[in-house]
Amino acid sequence: MSNLRSEIEKRRTFAIISHPDAGKTTLTEKFLLYGGAINLAGSVKGKATARHAVSDWMEIEKQRGISVTSSVLQFNYGGYCINILDTPGHQDFSEDTYRTLMAADSAVMVIDASKGVEAQTRKLFKVCVMRHIPIFTFINKMDRDANDTFDLLEDIENELGIETCPINWPIGSGKQFKGVYDRETKKVMTFSDTLKGTKEGTEKEIDIDDQVLEEEIGTEFKEKLLEDIELLDGAGAEFDIEKVSKGELSPVFFGSALTNFGVETFLQHFLKMTYSPLARNSDKGLIDPFTNDFSAFVFKIQANMNKNHRDRIAFMRICSGKFTAGMEVTHVQGGNKKVKLSQPQQMMADERKIVDEAYAGDIIGIFDPGIYSIGDTLTTAKDKFSFEGIPTFAPEHFARCSLIDSMKRKQFVKGVTQIAQEGAIQIFQEYKGGMEEIIVGVVGVLQFDVLKFRLKSEYNVDIRLENLPYEYIRWIGNPKDVNIDTLSGTSDMKKVKDMKERPLLLFVNEWSIGMTLDRNEGLILEEFSKN
Ligand code: G4P
């Protein structure tokens, strides 16, 4: 097998999604521990960095001169080369978080066993479904009192509309957590919390028919387990790898990231059930990852917050072939210009390092002198193509943005336009208006502060932001069939247009969306815009 093929075949690129505090960071730390990428769990990213306040964050960005938000962590485990994409939570939740999922081949959904499906998981999950990527569920914190297992599964199925198939099954929870039963091997792995921070532990594997099991977990738990298994075998969805690969069935695992219980088993199953990078769609058909031609698309642009260094890093996902530092590629959306990919960077545990080579499945950050846009394709192929565009995701917070000093109109327009091109914010205009009044839409409120800060520091422009009550935005899916002028919605609905002159509607609540659809026969409203 060629080197290129074997390198690509061992790649697994996935994103971890969860609601803040479900245990994403802890689980990531434990993964890295198995990969030997770090010696001690707990150093993936400092809590202080993960939970920073707005002002701290700005400070950190300034001091380092580069983003502290890690984008991807790479480590090796069991012959695989694993890329974990981070989806930032809390306040720094932004459109980037969604876009990151465009670069992943599968997703791991971490759920807190005492909470079930939470808001942020629901949002990110929608993007996974849109992409039909495999979704694996890790139900975490079993060492704390958990919801009933059947209820948790029902919650996922009802809330997210995906079938679930438990690969293992928990026995008790909280102080009474006894371990998990593996449905395939029919063995119980008994819980011990001695594994904290290490990878050698004292987990015991006991066959379900072994007498010892009863001594180990008690008669009551054993009986309950047998009952559960019977119920599950009779009623639960059967494991079907086809359905898993299409994102229609989620394999579910139970464990406790903090005590490092069930993490390695999960990782092993996950690696077996997922594929190396698959072909990606382009305007010239599917692009085979194993071809010798390098190709990649930009999914995130991280602007530097330091005004002394106005450079940017463009993060790209390699989709085919091999990357070598300094290679010359064609920037398709840049008028097919040849560009040299310089200063390639990659994240390794918590450090940035310069990479010499990378393969399909990997993510690299490239110095961007301001030429790239989200969704751009770069390739060495003679027959140029562009990868399918990255959709624009619906912002959920809106503000009217006005200029304090009207003399600075030019810088203002330049600033907001550039920041919007990087994808940090979305800007809209009154449906019939120009740039005199701008409505800014963001996915996470922190982006408002970022906008204000950057306009001031990079463009020397002061702005005033006035919050608007809209929470929902919908692109009109069939603008040619609809007369926007006469379209009638609810009184609190607003008609706007985006940078590409596409008509959109802003709504205060979901009810108004329904009303507007009822009042305008044939109208199609979309939550993501297809570029
Ligand atoms: P996040 O990245 O999804 O936001 O979650 P993170 O891993 O930071 O975990 C959130 C909190 O939950 C942390 O506690 C963490 O220690 C705890 N946690 C994670 N996994 C488990 C688990 O399996 N069992 C239990 N009992 N707790 C878990 P914290 O008090 O907020 O932080 P720390 O002071 O412990 O670091």
Side-chain angles (χ1 to χ4, degrees), residues 18-26 47 51 90 140-141 143-144 256-258:
S18 77
H19 191 80
D21 277 345
K24 190 182 64 164
T25 313
T26 315
K47 289 278 161 176
R51 308 261 158 86
H90 300 263
N140 191 30
K141 304 200 187 181
D143 59 308
R144 292 237 188 108
S256 156
L258 184 68

Side-chain angles (χ1 to χ4, degrees), residues 36 46 180 341 421:
V180 291
L341 298 182
Q421 269 162 2

